[in-house]
Amino acid sequence: MSADDNLQTIARYYDGCSTGDVDLMRETLADDVVHWFLAPNPGSAPVRGGEHLARYWRKVHRLIDAVWVVDHILDGDREAVIEWTMYWTPPEAGRRVATRGAEWFTFAADGRITEIRSYYRQHADQDSELALFPYAERGYSRHGVEHSGIHAALSKEVRS
């Protein structure tokens, strides 16, 4: 697998998450994939299995209108580490919130995702991001621009 192949797989996975498209997510996931979450975030128990994970993200997308964007990638042969942003609308906040994080992906020989290890801190009342980091200047996504220099998300419509 090339670095571009891994980025394309991850971007397609997130496009599926951002639109609730179970079939698109399933194309990118191994049947026995495991998604690990950092506790104590909401829903921090591991999710196992491609079908289960795809349906999990469809449910999350419907609940909080989430859009995920790949902002940066470090890539190897069968592993990749990314920085991402999830834009979402917490029911209690009524406005879009940006949660930034990092994930470690592993891939099977056929290019499908076998493991995701997710590192982020989710707050419903505020953005979670690096203090004073120059996101816009480095081509990362930002409020009103829910896509990045490397990931033109399917659901990149501008939100306020």
Side-chain angles (χ1 to χ4, degrees):
M1 300 298 299
S2 72
D4 190 53
D5 291 336
N6 290 341
L7 174 59
Q8 293 307 313
T9 298
I10 294 168
R12 283 184 22 248
Y13 165 71
Y14 278 125
D15 289 343
C17 294
S18 297
T19 58
D21 187 333
V22 169
D23 292 334
L24 181 56
M25 285 181 270
R26 286 293 294 129
E27 291 173 10
T28 68
L29 298 170
D31 292 339
D32 60 349
V33 66
V34 179
H35 193 309
W36 303 92
F37 294 92
L38 188 66
N41 289 318
S44 57
V47 177
R48 299 172 189 277
E51 185 71 23
H52 187 201
L53 183 57
R55 291 182 185 282
Y56 173 87
W57 287 126
R58 179 177 64 187
K59 179 181 175 184
V60 169
H61 170 74
R62 288 176 177 168
L63 289 172
I64 61 173
D65 190 27
V67 171
W68 287 264
V69 179
V70 180
D71 287 312
H72 188 74
I73 187 168
L74 296 174
D75 210 345
D77 180 31
R78 303 248 314 255
E79 295 183 307
V81 177
I82 66 162
E83 289 178 291
W84 54 263
T85 307
M86 176 182 65
Y87 296 94
W88 59 294
T89 306
E92 62 276 11
R95 65 175 181 79
R96 296 294 273 173
V97 173
T99 299
R100 297 191 188 267
E103 288 183 335
W104 191 295
F105 287 80
T106 63
F107 300 90
D110 67 2
R112 294 188 304 155
I113 299 165
T114 57
E115 185 177 65
I116 305 167
R117 298 190 303 267
S118 192
Y119 303 91
Y120 64 96
R121 184 71 174 119
Q122 187 172 348
H123 297 282
D125 58 344
Q126 64 186 9
D127 291 347
S128 296
E129 59 186 12
L130 298 172
L132 304 176
F133 186 80
Y135 288 105
E137 292 84 358
R138 295 211 184 165
Y140 285 57
S141 61
R142 58 198 180 280
H143 283 288
V145 184
E146 294 184 4
H147 57 89
S148 71
I150 64 169
H151 183 195
L154 288 177
S155 51
K156 69 179 182 179
E157 61 270 1
V158 175
R159 301 169 191 262
S160 50

